[in-house]
Amino acid sequence: MSSSYLPATTDSIAQALEAKAPSEAISILYRILENPSSSSEALRIKEQAITNLTDLLRQENRAEDLRNLLTQLRPFFNLIPKAKTAKIVRSIIDAVAKVPGTSDLQISLCKEMVQWTRAEKRTFLRQRVEARLASLLMESKEYSEALSLLSGLIKEVRRLDDKLLLVDIDLLESKLHFSLRNLPKAKASLTAARTAANSIYVPPAQQGTIDLQSGILHAEEKDYKTAYSYFFEAFEAFNALEDPRAVFSLKYMLLCKIMVSQADDVAGIISSKAGLQYVGPELDAMKAVADAHSKRSLKLFETALRDFKAQLEEDPIVHRHLSSLYDTLLEQNLCRLIEPFSRVEIAHIAELIELPIDHVEKKLSQMILDKKFAGTLDQGAGCLIIFDDPKTDAIYPATLETISNIGKVVDSLYVRSAKIMA
């Protein structure tokens, strides 16, 4: 970086734009920022230089330089309005986030900015940086630290009644509680976010995020039809904005179809006009699962899980539901296979279903304990013995109903006698 500064003029910006190498353009922009002039025109040119410099450093993946730029600009922030300062700080933090493998750097950068904003008493900016920090901590699985940061921030923002920021924080808190498997609190936070969002204009991207989280929570409660409608709303919002989250909303829509045994609809949704835009590994994975479910084939199911591990097993939401689906599919297949038998070798069932013997034996014992069918395992002989379904004795329900009716008669007689005595 040269020690001699350049004049803060449009010509200097043009010179940077015309530079052949990115390093040369970066050097010119740094020299513009070194200009000591604080006239309104010079400040405007410097703001443009900061925007261009941020873009160039991001393209060059120079995350550490972006961090140093924020420190270098602190004297400049005292010369411009607080709203513009907030915009520049957030744009630089966003630029660092676009550089791969910088999660730790982002956390330390946000912590530095929180300290600076506290010292400068820039409450508006501090709250937004703290919300960003909580989000980064959640992504790094530092749940306790993120939760303690959010709990204090929510109280502060509610006092100030900043509804737009409150929606973001409530939504973040809902995601955090969901990550901790605390569904009641996740639902409560989402309801708070919706309540705040109803009284203001919410940008489409934020509304899509609310719908996406609503779909995830409804799916968790096995209400897949309602979840599908929320995922559809989220998909439409993200699709209109060309947001990359659109493909995940579509993926979860397909998951809901599979979970309600409508796997045949999956191919139609993928081949629709909207679906064709997102054809790729994510949708191929769901199509493979849908085919396995339609054919009730555990072998195809396991092949799909193996071939699309990144899209299925490494997505915690999909993985959780597919684990449940796999168990259901396994139970249905086992019930169908053992139906003709009263006694059958476990090895024979394992051969028919194409799974390891110990896996099948463990599942059968679990199904017996869960009373999915009546039977017992003879492990010495390696056999499964299936009992006939016991006939339900109708006398017990009838007796209970008679006793219940007698109780009602006695109660009514007691009420009448009390009235007569009064």
Side-chain angles (χ1 to χ4, degrees), residues 6 21 38 63 179 205 250 285 338 344 374:
L6 287 174
S38 59
S179 300
L250 183 56
I338 65 175
V344 60

Side-chain angles (χ1 to χ4, degrees), residues 118-257:
R118 280 190 188 281
E120 294 288 320
K121 296 182 179 176
R122 294 174 183 256
T123 307
F124 177 82
L125 177 57
R126 175 181 57 77
Q127 290 170 346
R128 277 151 181 79
V129 175
E130 282 186 336
R132 181 61 171 269
L133 176 58
S135 175
L136 290 167
L137 289 169
M138 184 183 73
E139 288 171 13
S140 300
K141 299 186 178 179
E142 300 285 344
Y143 298 130
S144 57
E145 191 178 348
L147 202 56
S148 62
L149 180 62
L150 275 184
S151 59
L153 188 58
I154 285 175
K155 291 174 186 175
E156 193 178 337
V157 174
R158 278 185 180 146
R159 280 199 304 270
L160 295 173
D161 202 31
D162 185 346
K163 291 285 176 63
L164 197 59
L165 179 58
L166 192 59
V167 172
D168 279 333
I169 295 170
D170 282 331
L171 200 50
L172 184 59
E173 190 182 35
S174 177
K175 291 177 183 177
L176 187 56
H177 284 306
F178 178 74
S179 300
L180 292 167
R181 311 298 304 138
N182 191 336
L183 290 183
K185 285 193 174 181
K187 286 176 67 180
S189 297
L190 182 63
T191 303
R194 283 193 169 280
T195 304
N198 286 339
S199 58
I200 56 167
Y201 168 74
V202 177
Q206 198 174 37
Q207 185 60 55
T209 308
I210 292 172
D211 289 332
L212 184 61
Q213 182 67 7
S214 299
I216 289 168
L217 292 181
H218 276 90
E220 196 66 26
E221 295 181 325
K222 313 294 184 190
D223 185 0
Y224 293 109
K225 289 187 178 179
T226 307
Y228 178 87
S229 64
Y230 277 119
F231 288 137
F232 181 75
E233 293 292 335
F235 171 72
E236 287 202 320
F238 293 141
N239 184 42
L241 297 168
E242 297 183 357
D243 190 304
R245 287 176 291 177
V247 70
F248 294 104
S249 303
L250 183 56
K251 179 182 175 182
Y252 299 150
M253 282 166 59
L254 300 179
L255 175 68
C256 290
K257 283 291 183 184

